[in-house]
Amino acid sequence: MLLLLPPSEGKTPAPDDAAPVDLAALSGADTLTSQRQAVLAALAEASARPDAHALLGVGTSLAGEVQRNTRLHAEPAAPAAHVYTGVLYAAAGLASVPDTGAVRVVSGLWGAVAPGDRIPAYRLSMGVDLPGVGKLAAAWRVPLEAALGARAPGDVVVDCRSATYLAAWKPLPGTSEWVTVRVVREVAGRRAVVSHNAKHTRGVLAGHLLRRAAAPTSAAELLDAAGELVGTVIGTEVGTGLDYRLLEVSLEKARTRSAPATLELVIG
C-alpha cells in the first residue's frame, strides 16, 4: 500500500531548540532535492515581497507564518507527523504509528515527505503560482514521478488527497491500482458529499489501514479492510455531540484506464 495524504493547512512549529531541516536526510532526496531547493528559495523571496499575502493566497492574520517562510532553512524542524495537524491527522494518529514507508504527504514545498521526515512549519499551498517556479502542481510532476512512480507499481495507491494536490502526481495507467476515497452522508435515504466529516473519516480509515497486521496490496483487499470499520463509531458531530457511524463501504470501478477507482464510505 502507498497511502497519499494532503498536508494540513495549519502546521505546528517544532520546539525552538530543534535542529533545522536537512534536505539530504529527507525521503526521496536523490530525486527531489533540486526542486526542493528551488521552491524554498522562490518561497523565501516571494514571502519577503510587499504582495506576499496575495501571492500565497493567505490573509494578513498569517503574517507571522509568511515571515517564517523567509528563513525556513534555519527554522527548527520536527517529524512531519508532528508538524502536520488538523482533522485528518488527529483522526489518523499518524504520530503514533511506526513509519513503515507506506505513507507520503504530498506537499507544495517538499514534493512528498514521509511521516518521519523532519521539516519546519511553513505556509504554501500546492495551488500557488510561485514566481520563479510557476504553478506548483505542474512544477512537481516530473520530480514526483521519479520519486513516487518507482514506489507505486504493483501496489495499491490509496489516495486521500484533494484535487489541488492530486494534480501534482497520478500513477501511470496500468502500473498500479489507484483508489481515491469519497465520503458521503446518508440522511433519510439520501446521500450527499460532506467536507469536515470527510477529512475526519479519511483520517480514521488511514489510521486503521496503518495499524492493521497486514496492509492491503490490492483494491479488493482495501475494500475488505475498510469494511472492518462498518458499524463502528467514526466520530462525533461538532455542536450536537451526536455520534456517527460508518454504515457502508463500496468500490466503484475506474471509468477509464487513466482514472482511479473510488472507495465510497457512507456515514450516518
Side-chain angles (χ1 to χ4, degrees), residues 17 37 57 93 101 112 151 165-166 168-169 201 207 237 245 259:
D17 60 350
Q37 290 171 328
R151 168 65 178 80
Y165 289 86
L166 188 148
W169 180 79
T201 303
E237 293 283 1
R245 299 173 181 271

Side-chain angles (χ1 to χ4, degrees), residues 81-173:
H82 294 273
V83 172
Y84 292 124
T85 55
V87 176
L88 186 153
Y89 286 87
L94 196 60
S96 65
V97 179
D99 190 351
T100 63
V103 180
R104 288 295 181 270
V105 181
V106 177
S107 160
L109 176 55
W110 312 109
V113 292
D117 285 342
R118 296 179 61 261
I119 59 173
Y122 64 95
R123 176 63 64 161
L124 181 65
S125 168
M126 186 67 83
V128 169
D129 188 342
L130 190 63
V133 173
K135 295 181 178 179
L136 290 172
W140 278 114
R141 280 176 196 146
V142 171
L144 283 177
E145 175 55 31
L148 299 179
R151 168 65 178 80
D155 211 341
V156 60
V157 177
V158 184
D159 205 332
C160 293
R161 297 174 294 165
S162 62
T164 301
Y165 289 86
L166 188 148
W169 180 79
K170 302 173 184 178
L172 293 176

Side-chain angles (χ1 to χ4, degrees), residues 12-251:
T12 300
D16 291 341
D17 60 350
V21 63
D22 178 1
L23 294 182
L26 298 181
S27 57
D30 55 335
T31 55
L32 300 177
T33 295
S34 177
Q35 186 71 344
R36 285 166 174 162
Q37 290 171 328
V39 178
L40 273 167
L43 177 60
E45 185 174 337
S47 297
R49 289 173 45 161
D51 59 346
H53 293 85
L55 283 173
L56 300 179
V58 300
T60 56
S61 63
L62 298 176
E65 295 185 29
V66 173
Q67 181 60 30
R68 185 192 296 127
N69 283 345
T70 65
R71 54 179 190 273
L72 290 178
H73 65 286
E75 282 291 297
H82 294 273
V83 172
Y84 292 124
T85 55
V87 176
L88 186 153
Y89 286 87
L94 196 60
S96 65
V97 179
D99 190 351
T100 63
V103 180
R104 288 295 181 270
V105 181
V106 177
S107 160
L109 176 55
W110 312 109
V113 292
D117 285 342
R118 296 179 61 261
I119 59 173
Y122 64 95
R123 176 63 64 161
L124 181 65
S125 168
M126 186 67 83
V128 169
D129 188 342
L130 190 63
V133 173
K135 295 181 178 179
L136 290 172
W140 278 114
R141 280 176 196 146
V142 171
L144 283 177
E145 175 55 31
L148 299 179
R151 168 65 178 80
D155 211 341
V156 60
V157 177
V158 184
D159 205 332
C160 293
R161 297 174 294 165
S162 62
T164 301
Y165 289 86
L166 188 148
W169 180 79
K170 302 173 184 178
L172 293 176
T175 60
S176 59
E177 292 191 85
W178 178 28
V179 184
T180 58
V181 181
R182 178 173 62 212
V183 181
V184 299
R185 174 184 291 282
E186 183 173 286
V187 178
R190 294 187 177 183
R191 295 181 178 181
V193 176
V194 293
S195 55
H196 176 87
N197 290 339
K199 292 180 180 179
H200 179 87
T201 303
R202 289 190 186 102
V204 171
L205 174 67
H208 175 67
L209 295 177
L210 293 170
R211 289 176 174 83
R212 294 180 83 242
T217 58
S218 67
E221 289 181 5
L222 172 63
L223 179 63
D224 289 342
E228 294 166 356
L229 292 172
V230 170
T232 63
V233 173
I234 293 297
T236 304
E237 293 283 1
V238 176
T240 66
L242 297 176
D243 292 337
Y244 57 94
R245 299 173 181 271
L246 183 62
L247 303 179
E248 181 184 330
V249 298
S250 62
L251 187 66

